[in-house]
Amino acid sequence: MPGNGLWRTKSIEQSIADTDEPDTRLRKDLTAWDLTVFGVAVVVGAGIFTLTASTAGNLAGPSVSLAFVLAAIACALAALCYAEFASTVPVAGSAYTFSYATFGEFMAWIIGWDLVLEFAVGAAAVAKGWSLYLQTVLGQLGLSLKTTVPVGGVDVDWGSLLLVFALTVLLVLGTKLSSRVSLVITAVKVAVVLLVVVLGIGYIKAANYTPYIPPAQTGGSTATGLEQSLFSLVTGFSGSTYGVLGLLAAASLVFFAFIGFDVVATTAEETRNPQKAVPRGILGSLAIVTVLYVSVSLVITGMLPYDRLKTQPDGSRATLATAFSENGVDWAATVISVGALAGLTTVVMVLMLGQSRVLFAMSRDGLLPRGLARTGKHGTPFRITIAIGVLVAIAAGFFPAGKLEEMVNVGTLFAFVLVSAGVLVLRKTRPDLPRGFRVPLVPLVPVLAIIACVWLMLNLTALTWVRFLAWMALGVVVYFVYSRRNSVLGKEHGATAVPVVKRDEVP
């Protein structure tokens, strides 16, 4: 293959060999339990306290619990594909590394650039949410203190800056230490969720579950133009509230509560027995959060009739606290806020961890400056971690969140599609590779994963697609200006290429 080819692939063997380079070697400290904790830590965020109630009131009614099950099934299909890839190619970088081995360098760069949307932009958006919850908790403790202050005409979110700084230091000090801190905070937020479930059971009324799937009502969305979903824009179909279509729309929405489990795959290179530990970590964390989500949705829809969970005319959305306050348990709001604060802390940390490992892999391959991939005495890529901390701090501390969340979603789903397709490609091109985990029912499972993810992408707004395509276009420019010229694989191909000898030059 020519050295300047866009589709040059990096062999699995070369990717694994690169993990032993002294200057860029990551420390192998993690176990299956550590990976499971990371998965639960990044998936269980504020969404479990807020998304469940509003989705039940506005779209699905009591059947929101079934919507979570459907979303979990769609997510599990992609998770199985991630598990096979991560056990076959236990190298940092997740979908980027997998794409390099199957689709070639250009697509690998595109997916790596895409993952910046999922991890770095996601971390910034969630850090701003953390700051708001901190302000709420301080207010409930009697401290009227705003986490945003105007400085020179710019609103500075000091809460976000404080969080990102602390997490950057923690990540530089080591992945194992980060895992231990994550375990403690994750235990706190899971305990809050379980307390809410156990407490709420006493207020459940069976009549609130009837009808489980409420009758459909037309006119589900009033959004127009680029603010409506791409599917609605193309087909002219406006959707519905409640009914089976409302249930499916709810499944598309709550799917995003599961996003983040793929971060587990980025830590494969730091895992002691990745062939077994990574699949267990991915699938184990997904199973745990599914049980938590379904339990919370059953409790909240049993505590209040679904029509009392609708978004109010003033735009205020129902939350888990709404169900408790309506039943006279006002102190639960404080508990829920503390749980959400703890939840968002670990989400930001694990997203920053995942982003650093993707950029580490890209730097080691020369698609970004190689010097960034150097690891320090703690066995972490400290330069990249600090750079990400600075970028996330700037984004979270000085810019409004806006529509960043949906950009995170489209980036994630795009990665899911490529990984699922990559399993099919690698089964054809390298059937000889030892696989610690194998996706069952190939090609059915990967194909279903692709269909499910594409459908969810179509339910995102057209404006999100415009922004996504603009970001991808910028990535293409960066690749051709810098990355293609500095690619380690490209230089190796160029150095080892056999010179072409013209027929009339042969003696």
Side-chain angles (χ1 to χ4, degrees):
M1 186 177 296
N4 61 354
L6 293 178
W7 314 112
R8 55 193 173 217
T9 57
K10 184 177 181 180
S11 70
I12 307 297
E13 292 78 7
Q14 183 60 53
S15 293
I16 295 174
D18 285 348
T19 65
D20 288 327
E21 290 184 12
D23 291 339
T24 59
R25 182 183 297 154
L26 296 172
R27 188 172 294 172
K28 296 182 182 294
D29 285 334
L30 303 179
T31 64
W33 173 247
D34 294 321
L35 300 187
T36 302
V37 169
F38 275 145
V40 175
V42 73
V43 176
V44 179
I48 195 170
F49 303 105
T50 57
L51 188 63
T52 308
S54 60
T55 304
N58 299 327
L59 287 174
S63 66
V64 67
S65 55
L66 179 56
F68 272 109
V69 173
L70 294 176
I73 292 172
C75 211
L77 294 172
L80 289 169
C81 297
Y82 266 91
E84 174 166 321
F85 250 128
S87 67
T88 308
V89 194
V91 178
S94 182
Y96 159 77
T97 301
F98 308 156
S99 297
Y100 214 155
T102 49
F103 300 113
E105 183 176 281
F106 180 66
M107 285 305 298
W109 166 263
I110 288 295
I111 199 64
W113 187 256
D114 165 69
L115 289 175
V116 173
L117 280 181
E118 179 184 355
F119 296 146
V121 177
V126 176
K128 293 193 75 67
W130 183 91
S131 183
L132 289 174
Y133 270 102
L134 176 63
Q135 183 173 300
T136 301
V137 171
L138 291 175
Q140 291 168 341
L141 296 176
L143 298 173
S144 181
L145 186 63
K146 287 188 173 295
T147 53
T148 302
V149 294
V151 177
V154 178
D155 289 334
V156 178
D157 192 335
W158 64 263
S160 297
L161 293 175
L162 178 66
L163 174 68
V164 174
F165 173 77
L167 295 180
T168 300
V169 172
L170 185 62
L171 290 170
V172 168
L173 291 178
T175 311
K176 187 66 176 181
L177 176 61
S178 303
S179 173
R180 289 170 179 163
V181 173
S182 181
L183 174 61
V184 173
I185 301 177
T186 301
V188 170
K189 67 179 176 183
V190 171
V192 170
V193 172
L194 294 177
L195 174 64
V196 165
V197 170
V198 172
L199 182 65
I201 288 175
Y203 296 92
I204 289 177
K205 300 176 183 64
N208 290 335
Y209 291 126
T210 305
Y212 184 67
I213 301 180
Q217 299 177 10
T218 57
S221 174
T222 58
T224 58
L226 293 178
E227 290 292 343
Q228 62 185 311
S229 73
L230 184 64
F231 179 75
S232 297
L233 182 65
V234 173
T235 64
F237 182 72
S238 61
S240 69
T241 302
Y242 309 132
V244 174
L245 292 177
L247 169 62
L248 294 176
S252 296
L253 182 61
V254 301
F255 174 88
F256 304 125
F258 290 93
I259 282 178
F261 74 87
D262 53 318
V263 173
V264 174
T266 69
T267 61
E269 192 174 326
E270 297 161 89
T271 305
R272 292 174 190 163
N273 186 3
Q275 285 73 21
K276 292 183 179 179
V278 175
R280 289 173 182 173
I282 292 175
L283 299 174
S285 59
L286 186 59
I288 291 171
V289 299
T290 300
V291 170
L292 292 176
Y293 283 159
V294 173
S295 300
V296 168
S297 61
L298 286 171
V299 166
I300 196 170
T301 52
M303 291 177 67
L304 271 186
Y306 68 88
D307 55 1
R308 288 167 65 181
L309 295 171
K310 289 182 178 180
T311 298
Q312 299 302 308
D314 62 358
S316 59
R317 299 170 63 187
T319 66
L320 199 55
T322 305
F324 283 95
S325 60
E326 290 273 343
N327 282 277
V329 193
D330 293 320
W331 60 267
T334 302
V335 175
I336 291 168
S337 295
V338 171
L341 192 66
L344 291 177
T345 301
T346 55
V347 171
V348 177
M349 185 186 77
V350 182
L351 285 174
M352 289 176 64
L353 171 67
Q355 179 64 87
S356 67
R357 297 316 184 257
V358 172
L359 294 185
F360 166 78
M362 296 172 75
S363 299
R364 188 164 59 186
D365 291 333
L367 302 186
L368 292 173
R370 291 261 299 166
L372 292 174
R374 292 184 66 88
T375 52
K377 62 180 180 180
H378 299 289
T380 60
F382 64 98
R383 292 177 178 174
I384 283 179
T385 302
I386 293 171
I388 289 170
V390 171
L391 291 174
V392 172
I394 292 173
F398 300 95
F399 294 96
K403 294 285 186 178
L404 294 180
E405 293 86 352
E406 281 207 358
M407 290 185 69
V408 174
N409 296 333
V410 71
T412 304
L413 288 166
F414 183 55
F416 286 4
V417 169
L418 280 186
V419 169
S420 301
V423 168
L424 296 175
V425 173
L426 207 61
R427 284 284 187 97
K428 289 284 187 182
T429 58
R430 294 297 305 274
D432 57 305
L433 283 174
R435 290 167 168 83
F437 176 86
R438 297 179 68 89
V439 176
L441 302 176
V442 173
L444 179 62
V445 168
V447 168
L448 288 177
I450 293 170
I451 292 173
C453 292
V454 169
W455 166 249
L456 293 168
M457 292 175 77
L458 291 175
N459 279 276
L460 295 173
T461 66
L463 186 57
T464 297
W465 277 87
V466 171
R467 290 170 174 154
F468 174 66
L469 293 176
W471 175 257
M472 288 294 106
L474 177 61
V476 171
V477 172
V478 174
Y479 174 77
F480 282 104
V481 170
Y482 178 86
S483 305
R484 188 183 185 190
R485 298 177 180 179
N486 293 277
S487 164
V488 172
L489 185 62
K491 291 178 179 178
E492 288 176 353
H493 281 174
T496 59
V498 178
V500 178
V501 180
K502 297 181 181 179
R503 185 171 299 176
D504 56 4
E505 293 177 350
V506 177

